[in-house]
Amino acid sequence: MPEKRTATTGWREPSAPVAAAPARTGPVRGSHAATLVAMCLGAMVTFLHLTATVSTLTTIQRDLRIDPTSLVWIPSAYTLMLASLVLSAATLGSRYGRRRMFGVGVAAMMAGAGVVALATTLGWVVAGQLVAGAGGALILSNSLAILGVTFTDPHRRTEVVTAWAAASGVGLSVGPLIAGTLLAHVHWHGVFLSTVVLGVLTLAVTTRWVAESRQPTSRLDLPGLLLGTLTVAAAVHALIEGGRHGWTSPTVAAAWLTAAGALVAFVVVELRTAAPMLDVRLFRSPSFSAVVLVAAVSLFGFTGVSILLVLFHERAQALSPLDTGWRMLAVFGLYALTAFAAGQAIRRTGFKAPLTLGLLLGGLASLGLSTHTPGTPFSQSWPLLALFGAACGLVAAPATAAALASVAPPQAGMAAAAVNTARQFGAVMGASLLGTLLSTTLIADLPGRLAAHGVPESSRSAVQAAARAGTGETATTAGPVRQALAESLTAGVQAGLRVNAVVFLAAAVLALALVRNRPHRHQPASDDRG
């Protein structure tokens, strides 16, 4: 097979695909540009739903009177389903049709958002989020697969994937603004109708212009799917409920044991399966293992810190959802811009520099933000907010590229899927762990704050009970009580930011030490030697 040598790395790459191109069915209706638009709209809707959810947490909590620990389930349910299903979603698309599964994903996203829009209890909100998360997994996996099949030229494919990632950033950026604007005029239920509207537009473009493609030989690894989902779900349950019932309580201990047992079983099953959902042998590469961890850490911080910052602005600084959305634009906007720029620059910089620098800057920004109080003006906070967003964006594209460079070319697809799964796993861990840390710190810190502000002892128990139930602050809350609540919530936010800083800085050291900076020179096969 003829081969070419890249100018920047010297890595030998086959000039033609090793495997046969996936089978395509149905006529090509319309231009490639319309396909790109449809896939970008799909990416937008998944991330718009996430940030819109985060932006409505305070309003939902007050309306449904949800305790702080249970509130964490609302964003976690969405990311939990994404993390659990994103690998299998790609296999479903290959087997049953990528356009079809993409459309099913958009419909599920709309249905889940519709359930949330009609929900009157926490249970229905979480149920809707689970359905929307399943749809998001189908959208993300199959949109990338459709772009890969449609744009076969490697350079053009890189350009459209970068545009797809930028569209994701647009969804992140406009979500809080849309939510804030709608919350100023309608009930919080109406915020989730924006997902439905964008979903209808996405389906219309997809149905009209996107061609079907499939690879019928793909096999669904059902045991791997079930064990992987059980592992993640049990770990998330233990993290969230540990803050409420205690880390050594029987139910939490049982959840941890279930997660550990399911993880061991998952590894054993994947090693013995002919077509595994995740080839765990990839982790024999130290560089690949480090990149997967870095990818998880980046979304751990990005998702978890976003939740902390939204709650801080709305609850501690008493800002409206729209004002909060404008402030969060410093995070989400810089994330989108930097992710796009980093994707264009990695051919010149390699992988190690942006990954290490992004994690280092993200850790330092988290430390800086952890010093802020309810009285800190936006003029002092926006540079750190922008720095944190840019730092996370700096990691996004290089992490995927580094994962592909850490394995043999035939394993590139599995490596990309593994990194995507790691990101979603990091997102659900960030939402659950940092959110739970916030709620437990708030409850533990509140008695001392109430005493410091001179709240009578006879009133403290009622205030603490109300805070545990999620009804601790209303429009009529007395000034000293409101200040104590704001300071206690700030203490929880600061604790979460400090934990995130430690995680980011540790990951920076790992990236610097283990990540391979350029594609590995794999031993060529006998028919590839030049």
Side-chain angles (χ1 to χ4, degrees), residues 269-282:
V269 166
E270 296 304 277
L271 286 173
R272 296 181 177 180
T273 301
M277 183 175 74
L278 176 63
D279 187 354
V280 296
R281 296 177 184 85
L282 294 177

Side-chain angles (χ1 to χ4, degrees), residues 162-163 165-170 172-173 302 329-346 348-349 353-355 357-359 361-362 383-399 423:
T162 301
S168 304
V170 172
L172 287 171
S173 302
F302 187 76
L329 189 60
V331 177
F332 298 138
L334 266 294
Y335 174 90
L337 292 174
T338 308
F340 181 82
Q344 300 292 316
I346 52 178
R348 296 188 299 273
T349 65
L355 291 176
L357 181 62
L359 293 165
L361 294 178
L384 288 173
L385 294 173
L387 179 61
F388 182 76
C392 292
L394 202 57
V395 178
R423 285 197 181 101

Side-chain angles (χ1 to χ4, degrees), residues 40-57 60 73-82 105-119 124-137 139-140 167-180 182-183 188-200 202 302-303 306-307 310 332 424 427 431:
C40 287
L41 286 173
M44 281 182 61
V45 73
T46 58
F47 288 96
L48 181 146
H49 184 87
L50 174 61
T51 51
T53 297
V54 172
S55 300
T56 57
L57 287 178
I60 293 175
W73 276 109
I74 295 177
S76 295
Y78 179 73
T79 51
L80 171 63
M81 290 303 287
L82 268 173
V106 175
M109 177 73 71
M110 294 165 58
V115 170
V116 178
L118 298 173
W124 281 109
V125 173
V126 171
Q129 290 290 85
L130 290 172
V131 174
I139 291 171
L140 290 178
S168 304
V170 172
L172 287 171
S173 302
V174 302
L177 299 179
I178 292 176
L182 291 175
L183 285 171
W188 63 264
H189 295 89
V191 172
F192 293 91
L193 295 179
S194 60
T195 298
V196 178
V197 172
L198 188 57
V200 169
T202 304
F302 187 76
T303 304
S306 295
I307 292 174
V310 167
F332 298 138
Q424 303 308 325

Side-chain angles (χ1 to χ4, degrees), residues 57 141 236 392 436 494:
L57 287 178
S141 295
V236 171
C392 292
T436 301
Q494 291 172 339

Side-chain angles (χ1 to χ4, degrees), residues 25-387:
T25 63
V28 177
R29 292 176 281 182
S31 67
H32 287 2
T35 298
L36 176 59
V37 169
M39 298 306 102
C40 287
L41 286 173
M44 281 182 61
V45 73
T46 58
F47 288 96
L48 181 146
H49 184 87
L50 174 61
T51 51
T53 297
V54 172
S55 300
T56 57
L57 287 178
T58 296
T59 309
I60 293 175
Q61 181 181 25
R62 288 171 176 167
D63 184 44
L64 301 183
R65 296 178 175 268
I66 302 171
D67 67 88
T69 302
S70 298
L71 185 69
V72 177
W73 276 109
I74 295 177
S76 295
Y78 179 73
T79 51
L80 171 63
M81 290 303 287
L82 268 173
S84 301
L85 300 179
V86 71
L87 271 177
S88 295
T91 303
L92 288 172
S94 297
R95 188 173 180 83
Y96 300 108
R98 298 182 178 95
R99 187 187 70 174
R100 177 181 297 170
M101 289 297 103
F102 177 84
V104 170
V106 175
M109 177 73 71
M110 294 165 58
V115 170
V116 178
L118 298 173
T120 56
T121 64
L122 172 64
W124 281 109
V125 173
V126 171
Q129 290 290 85
L130 290 172
V131 174
L138 288 168
I139 291 171
L140 290 178
S141 295
N142 288 289
S143 60
L144 276 175
I146 288 171
L147 291 178
V149 170
T150 303
F151 298 91
T152 56
D153 177 74
H155 297 293
R156 180 62 175 152
R157 183 185 297 163
T158 300
E159 293 174 358
V160 299
V161 170
T162 301
W164 178 91
S168 304
V170 172
L172 287 171
S173 302
V174 302
L177 299 179
I178 292 176
T181 301
L182 291 175
L183 285 171
H185 299 92
V186 299
H187 200 266
W188 63 264
H189 295 89
V191 172
F192 293 91
L193 295 179
S194 60
T195 298
V196 178
V197 172
L198 188 57
V200 169
L201 177 61
T202 304
L203 277 180
V205 178
T206 301
T207 303
R208 176 66 180 85
W209 280 294
V210 177
E212 183 62 281
S213 65
R214 60 170 55 91
Q215 189 173 352
T217 56
S218 298
R219 295 170 54 188
L220 179 63
D221 178 16
L222 186 59
L225 167 63
L226 295 177
L227 288 170
T229 302
L230 180 59
T231 300
V232 177
V236 171
H237 184 273
L239 284 172
I240 295 177
E241 296 301 317
R244 175 188 293 175
H245 302 294
W247 300 105
T248 58
S249 67
T251 56
V252 174
W256 283 122
L257 289 174
T258 300
L263 177 60
V264 172
F266 175 80
V267 172
V268 172
V269 166
E270 296 304 277
L271 286 173
R272 296 181 177 180
T273 301
M277 183 175 74
L278 176 63
D279 187 354
V280 296
R281 296 177 184 85
L282 294 177
F283 292 93
R284 292 174 178 172
S285 165
S287 178
F288 178 78
S289 299
V291 169
V292 169
L293 183 59
V294 165
V297 165
S298 67
L299 262 266
F300 171 93
F302 187 76
T303 304
V305 169
S306 295
I307 292 174
L308 296 181
L309 292 175
V310 167
L311 294 176
F312 173 74
H313 288 139
E314 294 184 359
R315 300 292 296 275
Q317 294 193 324
L319 297 175
S320 70
L322 183 56
D323 287 338
T324 298
W326 283 113
R327 282 160 173 75
M328 293 301 295
L329 189 60
V331 177
F332 298 138
L334 266 294
Y335 174 90
L337 292 174
T338 308
F340 181 82
Q344 300 292 316
I346 52 178
R347 283 194 174 189
R348 296 188 299 273
T349 65
F351 313 125
K352 190 186 295 285
L355 291 176
T356 304
L357 181 62
L359 293 165
L360 176 62
L361 294 178
L364 294 177
S366 296
L367 285 177
L369 290 169
S370 71
T371 65
H372 290 182
T373 66
T376 301
F378 185 60
S379 60
Q380 294 182 21
S381 63
W382 77 260
L384 288 173
L385 294 173
L387 179 61

